[in-house]
Amino acid sequence: MLIRRAPDLKSSEITTESQYLNRREWIASMGALGAVTAFPSIAKALGASPQGQDPKPIGTPMGLQPNDTPTPWADVTGYNNFYEFGTGKEDPAENARAFKPLPWTVRVEGMVNKPADYQLEDFLKPHKVEDRIYRMRCVEAWSMVIPWRGIQLSDVLKRAEPTSSAKFVEMTTLFDPRRMPGQNSRVLDWPYVEGLRLDEAMHPLTMLATGVYGRTLPNQNGAPLRLVVPWKYGFKGVKSIVRIRLVDRQPRNTWNLSAPEEYGFYSNVNPEVDHPRWSQASERRIGEFRRRPTLMFNGYADQVASLYSGMDLRKNY
Ligand code: MTE
C-alpha cells in the first residue's frame, strides 16, 4: 500500500512513516516550548483538537492488552489513509478540511426485504450508539488504539431483513471527484469498495463509526460514517459510506483489485502470513519506537477465531 508504484503516484507525494515521525518529534519539541498553542494554525494543520486541548478518550476498552493506551488525538486525526484526499498520511487532514459530510444519504439495498434510502439521522436513529476503545492494525505494519463512537452493523442489517440468499455485505464510498479531489487521479479504482461475509458483518465487534474520542467523526477519518472491524487490517474500514448492499457472491474489494497477490478479501490480521514485501510478525504503535509482536486476529482471537474454523488462512489472506 504505502510503497505502491502507480503510474501517476509520485513517491515524493507520499509521507512516509519516518517523515511523519520526524515531524511529530519536531512538533513535540515545539509543544514543549508552547509554540503549538502560540501558533494555532500550526496546531490545526497538525491535527490538534479544535478546542486546543486533547479530548479524553472515552469508551469501553474491548480486547485491549495491558500495555495498550489510546493513541493521541493528533495522530488518530493527523496520520490517515484516505486516498480520496491524497496519498500522503497528512494529506487527508489537510485536503478534507472543506468537505461537507451533511446532508448525507445512505442506501441499504440488495437481498433484503426492506431496502431504503435514509438520511443519516434516520439511518442512525433506532440504533444504540456506543463508545468503544479498539486496537487497530494497518496492513503497513503500524497500529493505533482508537476510541470509536458508533453503532453495530448487525443492528442496521437486522432492520433491513436480509433474505436467505444474502451471504455477503458490500459497502461503497461516495464517488464525487469535485468533493473528493483524489478521485481525479487513477491511483485506485473508484469508488472505494469493501466487503464482509455476512457472519463477519453480524459480529458484535463490527461497527459503523460516526465518531472518535466522543466527537463527531473528523472528515479525514471517514465522515460521516465508516466501517470499523478491529480484527482485520485497516483497509477493510471503508470510509464515507453511501451504500450497503447485501449480495450472494463475495464482493470485489478495492485493494484486492489493485494488487490481488498483496491484499486479500479476508485481510485478517495474521502474524504468520507476511505481506509479499514485508513481515507482518511485528508492528509499530504510532507514537512509539519499539516494535511489538502482532497478535493473531489483532488480539480478538477469543471472539472471532471460530468464524474461520476449518479455513486455510494462508490461502484466505
Ligand atoms: N476508505 C476509503 N474510502 N479510502 C481509503 O483510502 N483507506 C483504508 C481505510 N478506509 C481508505 C479507506 C486504509 S488503508 C486504512 S489503514 C484506514 O482506512 C485508515 O483509517 P484511519 O485514517 O481512520 O486510521
Side-chain angles (χ1 to χ4, degrees):
M1 196 161 292
L2 177 71
I3 47 176
R4 197 173 100 82
R5 297 272 180 260
D8 56 350
L9 179 60
K10 290 192 233 78
S11 58
S12 59
E13 288 169 0
I14 302 173
T15 317
T16 64
E17 191 180 335
S18 60
Q19 283 167 334
Y20 176 80
L21 286 171
N22 289 340
R23 190 131 174 241
R24 293 280 297 145
E25 277 161 32
W26 176 79
I27 299 154
S29 63
M30 296 290 276
L33 298 169
V36 167
T37 41
F39 299 100
S41 59
I42 300 178
K44 205 172 157 208
L46 296 166
S49 104
Q51 274 76 23
Q53 247 182 2
D54 269 14
K56 290 223 169 6
I58 58 166
T60 311
M62 294 178 88
L64 300 196
Q65 302 294 311
N67 57 2
D68 283 333
T69 50
T71 300
W73 162 272
D75 291 323
V76 172
T77 62
Y79 188 82
N80 301 101
N81 276 331
F82 198 175
Y83 278 27
E84 285 83 342
F85 294 102
T87 53
K89 302 298 182 209
E90 295 167 65
D91 291 347
E94 181 65 35
N95 300 337
R97 209 172 281 166
F99 181 74
K100 293 208 175 15
L102 296 177
W104 193 262
T105 309
V106 188
R107 165 168 295 189
V108 183
E109 63 173 23
M111 295 174 163
V112 292
N113 291 325
K114 296 189 171 161
D117 279 329
Y118 294 102
Q119 284 306 304
L120 186 68
E121 312 76 79
D122 301 326
F123 176 80
L124 299 173
K125 209 181 278 162
H127 306 306
K128 183 175 165 207
V129 176
E130 287 179 70
D131 291 291
R132 297 175 175 183
I133 309 180
Y134 281 171
R135 322 172 89 232
M136 303 300 292
R137 170 64 153 78
C138 178
V139 73
E140 295 161 344
W142 49 264
S143 60
M144 297 197 192
V145 173
I146 303 188
W148 296 111
R149 167 168 288 180
I151 60 174
Q152 281 189 196
L153 177 58
S154 62
D155 288 342
V156 168
L157 298 178
K158 283 181 207 153
R159 185 191 196 191
E161 297 180 6
T163 66
S164 58
S165 323
K167 301 284 181 279
F168 293 89
V169 184
E170 177 196 82
M171 281 157 275
T172 308
T173 295
L174 173 72
F175 180 69
D176 188 344
R178 279 168 310 150
R179 296 167 70 196
M180 295 184 150
Q183 290 176 337
N184 291 305
S185 107
R186 288 169 40 215
V187 61
L188 290 175
D189 251 338
W190 311 111
Y192 196 102
V193 180
E194 259 303 342
L196 295 170
R197 227 169 49 191
L198 189 55
D199 57 345
E200 298 176 319
M202 293 298 286
H203 194 282
L205 284 171
T206 305
M207 291 177 89
L208 286 175
T210 56
V212 75
Y213 267 89
R215 296 187 174 171
T216 305
L217 203 59
N219 292 339
Q220 60 268 35
N221 294 92
L225 189 72
R226 61 87 57 85
L227 181 66
V228 172
V229 196
W231 71 94
K232 291 181 181 281
Y233 293 121
F235 69 85
K236 276 277 143 187
V238 45
K239 294 178 168 180
S240 305
I241 297 169
V242 291
R243 193 176 68 204
I244 299 176
R245 177 153 59 186
L246 282 280
V247 292
D248 58 358
R249 301 231 172 102
Q250 183 174 299
R252 289 143 70 85
N253 55 312
T254 294
W255 277 101
N256 179 254
L257 284 172
S258 173
E261 64 296 341
E262 301 193 11
Y263 310 107
F265 174 77
Y266 280 91
S267 90
N268 286 324
V269 176
N270 189 342
E272 287 165 18
V273 178
D274 287 338
H275 184 280
R277 289 184 280 133
W278 58 80
S279 164
Q280 294 291 21
S282 69
E283 67 199 48
R284 241 188 33 76
R285 181 65 48 82
I286 293 299
E288 293 179 356
F289 288 101
R290 68 185 166 118
R291 297 194 76 82
R292 302 166 169 244
T294 287
L295 302 179
M296 190 65 201
F297 298 112
N298 198 30
Y300 295 91
D302 326 352
Q303 294 163 76
V304 303
S306 62
L307 296 175
Y308 308 101
S309 55
M311 274 179 76
D312 180 346
L313 295 181
R314 288 192 173 270
K315 251 199 198 136
N316 298 287
Y317 54 93

